Amino acid sequence: MGKSSYWWIIPIIFIVLGVFYPLFNLLVFSGGINFNVLSENKNIIIFTIKQAFISSFLTMIFGLPGAYLVARTRMNKFFKSIFRVLSSVPFVLPGITVSMGFLLAFGKNGLLTNLLSFFGYKERILFTFTAVILGHVFYNFPLFIRIVGETWEKIDGSIIEAGKIDGANNLKILFLLELPNLLPSILKAFSLTYVYTFTSFSIVLILGGIKYSTIEVSIYMYTRILFDFKSALTLAIFQMLLISIFAYFVNFRKQDFQSGKTIKEKFPMWGFIYLILVILFVFVPLSYSLFSGFLTYGGGFGLDNFKRLYSLKLSQFIGTDIKSLIYYSLLLPAISTFIVIFLSTIASYYSVKGKRLDYILIIPAAVSPVTIAFSYILMRFSPLNSLILIYSLISLPIVYSFIESGWRTLNHELEEAALLDGANFWKLNMKIRFPLIKYHLFTAAVYAFTIVLGEMSATITISEPPISTFSIAIYRLLSSRRIPEARALNTIYSFIVFLLFGFIEYLRNLNEKRI
């Protein structure tokens, strides 16, 4: 990949063919645009913008201290690894799985309900605006831990040492030396959080209720319930334009990032308070979700739910057998992960070199998966190919962000030295660049795989037997009132995700030892 080549066009062509061309076909099919639907949904549009900003701001406030603790303090290595893994899992779990944990934690007899009641807070949290915000913070704060934390950990410690020698205190070092280097990654995480909370569907609907509908909920209603495709498409295009404009102005460039080995500070006292809050409001709901399969109706703890799942004839409820379920749950994410890693590696490289691709690469996250899925149905794409394309589009923005963070931490002096020594295109990439960002590539791949594994709205719109995934199987079991079996399958699915992130943490620790 050279700066003057045209590889950067490939991701743009993919988005044009995967998003804009299908939307154009849907536009022709629906007969145009219905501008009246914007005024009819004025309150929903205002609410969507407001809740997304509040959710993103509070996610940033909650996520930045965690990024600092992980990146800049001498936290116990084992505990840090557990913290990294557990704080990463929420973002990739499907909304129905996250909601299951919240419903159990904040339900009538939930641990957090009892704890809040003990301290005098007896107001109901579920099905309120507070529940929506808490769900979004829970869901998205891993973005700040990962994206900002990865950058923070790479800031050259010599800069901080020089500041201390000049008499700067920790506050001055933070605001004058560290934040200028962190600003691109902070804005990147904030931008992604805003997009994901703006387009929120299941979290809003399950934890908040229909009175807290977002634009995404309205698009689903017009498409699947009212069959008013003109109104659905109008809202989808409006949402895409609004988010694209937002991403364009939030996009920030800083080319002189100084990468190196950071200085680790003593773990602060406020860090323990922060960890207690994380354990209570993140890890407790997550634990409820992870171990829901072991919880029986009587309040006990056992394997009854798994026995019921094993003896259940799954095909009657999810339309396929266990072998097909596992096959497609692995095959579809694997293919789409390969595609999105290829596209994101190219796009993020040229973005770092000066091409403003951020506001284009974030577009897939702004488009309703249901809208794209329906447009693919109109174009008579096969369910298998449609899902691979949609999965690649859905995971593209977040994967692009992780790999771009890797490109930004590269030591460009090594590249220049390799070029002077006569390294060609192949050697430069395979011997210098990719080995240095391999952790970012592996992390991006795990996120891509697990995000796809948890996707629901497009999958349930397009899939037909024998195609099914774990998230859809969980949803259909719940819909069929097979709650014990759904909980058991949810636990199996959640532990698969947990093990994948554990593998990434293992690679990270291995990489640190070599350094």
Side-chain angles (χ1 to χ4, degrees):
M1 290 179 288
K3 190 175 181 179
S4 60
S5 66
Y6 293 95
W7 284 72
W8 58 272
I9 296 177
I10 297 175
I12 295 177
I13 293 173
F14 183 79
I15 291 175
V16 169
L17 295 179
V19 177
F20 291 108
Y21 181 65
L23 286 180
F24 175 77
N25 277 277
L26 189 56
L27 179 66
V28 173
F29 172 82
S30 61
I33 299 293
N34 176 20
F35 289 105
N36 291 330
V37 76
L38 298 179
S39 58
E40 292 169 4
N41 289 272
K42 178 183 174 182
N43 291 334
I44 289 177
I45 292 171
I46 292 172
F47 171 76
T48 302
I49 295 171
K50 182 181 75 172
Q51 68 82 21
F53 180 80
I54 294 172
S55 297
S56 303
F57 179 77
L58 292 178
T59 301
M60 180 179 68
I61 297 299
F62 193 68
L64 286 179
Y68 171 81
L69 292 175
V70 167
R72 291 274 281 106
T73 68
R74 292 190 290 272
M75 188 187 293
N76 178 273
K77 195 168 184 179
F78 176 77
F79 186 80
K80 181 187 286 190
S81 294
I82 296 296
F83 179 81
R84 281 186 190 275
V85 173
L86 289 178
S87 62
S88 298
V89 169
F91 181 73
V92 300
L93 293 178
I96 194 166
T97 299
V98 171
S99 300
M100 190 182 296
F102 262 80
L103 291 172
L104 289 169
F106 288 98
K108 187 176 180 181
N109 296 313
L111 177 62
L112 292 181
T113 299
N114 293 331
L115 183 64
L116 291 172
S117 179
F118 176 79
F119 285 102
Y121 187 87
K122 299 184 183 296
E123 297 293 326
R124 187 183 70 171
I125 290 180
L126 288 179
F127 315 118
T128 64
F129 184 67
T130 301
V132 173
I133 300 301
L134 280 174
H136 283 158
V137 172
F138 170 88
Y139 209 78
N140 292 287
F141 95 103
L143 286 175
F144 284 87
I145 301 289
R146 282 284 175 179
I147 295 176
V148 180
E150 297 287 351
T151 304
W152 214 329
E153 208 160 28
K154 296 295 183 180
I155 293 178
D156 193 349
S158 62
I159 302 173
I160 299 169
E161 287 180 337
K164 288 182 177 180
I165 291 172
D166 290 339
N169 57 29
N170 289 336
L171 206 58
K172 280 188 175 181
I173 288 172
L174 174 64
F175 282 98
L176 298 179
L177 298 178
E178 293 183 293
L179 281 183
N181 280 302
L182 292 173
L183 189 57
S185 60
I186 290 173
L187 289 177
K188 175 71 67 181
F190 184 89
S191 178
L192 283 169
T193 300
Y194 189 85
V195 170
Y196 287 122
T197 53
F198 194 100
T199 58
S200 181
F201 178 79
S202 53
I203 293 292
V204 174
L205 206 55
I206 297 173
L207 296 183
I210 194 66
K211 64 179 178 178
Y212 296 113
S213 293
T214 57
I215 295 175
E216 189 74 9
V217 175
S218 294
I219 292 171
Y220 181 84
M221 180 190 70
Y222 282 117
T223 304
R224 299 283 289 173
I225 299 174
L226 301 178
F227 299 102
D228 183 353
F229 302 114
K230 183 182 289 188
S231 296
L233 180 63
T234 302
L235 286 175
I237 292 174
F238 176 78
Q239 178 174 272
M240 181 178 67
L241 290 174
L242 203 62
I243 289 177
S244 299
I245 292 169
F246 168 80
Y248 181 83
F249 286 106
V250 170
N251 183 33
F252 182 85
R253 281 286 173 269
K254 184 174 177 64
Q255 300 295 335
D256 57 346
F257 178 83
Q258 298 186 56
S259 177
K261 192 172 179 62
T262 191
I263 294 176
K264 300 290 185 180
E265 305 284 351
K266 182 181 177 182
F267 192 83
M269 289 301 297
W270 62 261
F272 293 102
I273 299 173
Y274 176 83
L275 291 177
I276 290 171
L277 291 174
V278 171
I279 290 170
L280 287 176
F281 292 100
V282 177
F283 293 168
V284 167
L286 180 61
S287 297
Y288 267 110
S289 181
L290 286 172
F291 296 102
S292 61
F294 296 99
L295 301 176
T296 60
Y297 271 128
F301 199 77
L303 299 175
D304 291 349
N305 295 341
F306 295 95
K307 292 176 182 176
R308 296 181 66 161
L309 176 64
Y310 179 76
S311 61
L312 184 70
K313 192 173 182 180
L314 277 178
S315 58
Q316 293 181 355
F317 299 94
I318 68 173
T320 189
D321 57 27
I322 189 66
K323 289 182 180 179
S324 294
L325 176 64
I326 295 172
Y327 175 74
Y328 286 106
S329 291
L330 297 178
L331 177 68
L332 296 176
I335 295 174
S336 63
T337 296
F338 176 81
I339 293 171
V340 80
I341 291 292
F342 172 73
L343 295 171
S344 298
T345 301
I346 295 172
S348 57
Y349 172 82
Y350 286 102
S351 178
V352 170
K353 294 299 182 181
K355 297 288 183 184
R356 297 202 67 182
L357 300 176
D358 296 59
Y359 64 98
I360 298 174
L361 269 293
I362 208 168
I363 286 175
V367 182
S368 168
V370 174
T371 305
I372 293 295
F374 186 75
S375 67
Y376 284 3
I377 292 173
L378 289 177
M379 296 168 67
R380 300 184 183 278
F381 283 8
S382 71
L384 192 66
N385 292 332
S386 296
L387 287 174
I388 290 171
L389 283 172
I390 292 174
Y391 289 165
S392 301
L393 289 166
I394 287 171
S395 56
L396 184 59
I398 184 66
V399 170
Y400 162 81
S401 297
F402 280 124
I403 298 178
E404 189 198 36
S405 297
W407 284 122
R408 288 190 177 280
T409 59
L410 276 183
N411 187 335
H412 299 296
E413 293 179 359
L414 287 176
E415 291 187 30
E416 292 172 2
L419 289 171
L420 288 173
D421 288 341
N424 57 23
F425 170 86
W426 177 262
K427 283 188 177 180
L428 185 62
N429 283 302
M430 296 299 166
K431 301 292 185 182
I432 304 295
R433 289 170 174 166
F434 291 154
L436 290 174
I437 65 168
K438 65 178 181 294
Y439 171 71
H440 293 83
L441 291 170
F442 278 120
T443 300
V446 169
Y447 268 88
F449 189 92
T450 50
I451 286 171
V452 166
L453 197 59
E455 202 284 328
M456 287 188 59
S457 55
T459 309
I460 205 166
T461 302
I462 291 178
S463 64
E464 56 187 41
I467 298 174
S468 187
T469 60
F470 281 118
S471 58
I472 297 303
I474 293 167
Y475 172 77
R476 285 177 174 155
L477 285 172
L478 285 172
S479 301
S480 303
R481 305 290 184 184
R482 310 298 302 197
I483 295 175
E485 293 87 346
R487 285 184 176 183
L489 189 60
N490 175 70
T491 293
I492 294 170
Y493 164 80
S494 299
F495 271 97
I496 290 172
V497 173
F498 181 83
L499 288 173
L500 285 171
F501 279 101
F503 176 68
I504 285 297
E505 190 60 27
Y506 168 76
L507 291 179
R508 177 190 181 86
N509 292 332
L510 201 63
N511 188 55
E512 286 179 350
K513 284 181 181 179
R514 288 173 180 171
I515 294 174

